[in-house]
Amino acid sequence: MTLDSAPGAMVDWWQHTARRGGEENSMAEIIRTYREELPRARFVGRRYTESDRVNGSFAAHWGTWFGNGWFDVIEKANPGRLLDGSYVGLMLGDEGMDCSYWIGILCAEDAAVPEGFAAVELPAAAAAVCWIRGPEGPELYGMHDACVRAMREAGMADWYRLPDGSLIFFERYSCPRFTTPDEQGRVILDYGACLA
């Protein structure tokens, strides 16, 4: 499947998840699109489904993660086994499937999975990645369609599928790009899709 024929259910689900902010009038902009090689990895985190939404999104669950120190639990269980230490929102699914949203960290393939957490095994794969710059808010998280267009225009057009048929999208909150706003209060969110 190519990005030209992106699965409607996954796109609709992501747009709903992202609390679309009207990208046509958005203050968010794509400033970089590139191909990145990702190593084989184990994503360690927790899975959320449609029934876990709070006011239409999963944003409240990120607050729970920080409040409960769950990122610290994963980090302490895996010294030296975190890929880059970024926190990640992982989206899996496609048409006819229950889509899921995961919060966690990409780790080495032999990473420990602490009690109360789960894992997704991810193969080595190329990823199309967009850097989205803007103030933190709905516009920043509502750029799925724009990212898909940018990936296609950059010649990255084939989706990777897990054995169950799921497509893989991700939000990567890289330090310091996302954690340190620029002088205009803008951060950079990495948004990616795994490629075949």
Side-chain angles (χ1 to χ4, degrees), residues 7 10 27 29-30 44-45 57 69 73 78 89 104-106 108 114 129 137 146 157 163 176 196:
M10 187 65 173
M27 293 176 58
E29 63 180 333
I30 297 170
V44 179
S57 80
V73 171
N78 290 291
I105 303 176
L106 283 172
V129 179

Side-chain angles (χ1 to χ4, degrees), residues 2-163:
T2 67
L3 290 173
D4 287 321
S5 59
M10 187 65 173
V11 171
D12 292 344
W13 182 84
W14 167 242
Q15 290 171 349
H16 180 67
T17 298
R19 305 167 318 280
R20 281 179 63 90
E23 67 188 52
E24 300 308 320
N25 298 315
S26 177
M27 293 176 58
E29 63 180 333
I30 297 170
I31 60 168
R32 182 177 180 203
T33 303
Y34 64 98
R35 180 183 179 101
E36 178 179 335
E37 298 299 321
L38 300 175
R40 184 172 177 79
R42 175 174 286 166
F43 180 87
V44 179
R46 290 189 174 185
R47 179 179 185 262
Y48 300 91
T49 63
E50 289 295 319
S51 64
D52 296 311
R53 289 182 184 276
V54 176
N55 297 322
S57 80
F58 298 108
H61 296 291
W62 283 88
T64 300
W65 270 73
F66 289 111
N68 290 337
W70 289 343
F71 290 112
D72 295 335
V73 171
I74 296 170
E75 291 167 350
K76 288 176 184 171
N78 290 291
R81 291 186 284 188
L82 305 179
L83 291 189
D84 74 357
S86 297
Y87 300 154
V88 174
L90 187 70
M91 291 140 303
L92 305 175
D94 194 4
E95 293 182 63
M97 301 176 71
D98 290 330
C99 296
S100 60
Y101 183 82
W102 292 71
I103 298 174
I105 303 176
L106 283 172
C107 301
E109 61 185 302
D110 64 344
V113 181
E115 185 176 344
F117 295 87
V120 177
E121 306 301 327
L122 299 172
V129 179
C130 291
W131 283 7
I132 307 166
R133 181 176 62 195
E136 190 177 357
E139 292 82 13
L140 188 72
Y141 302 111
M143 295 288 288
H144 174 84
D145 290 344
C147 288
V148 168
R149 283 192 300 271
M151 292 169 185
R152 183 175 55 242
E153 289 167 5
M156 296 177 280
D158 292 322
W159 297 105
Y160 178 85
R161 290 184 178 275
L162 290 171

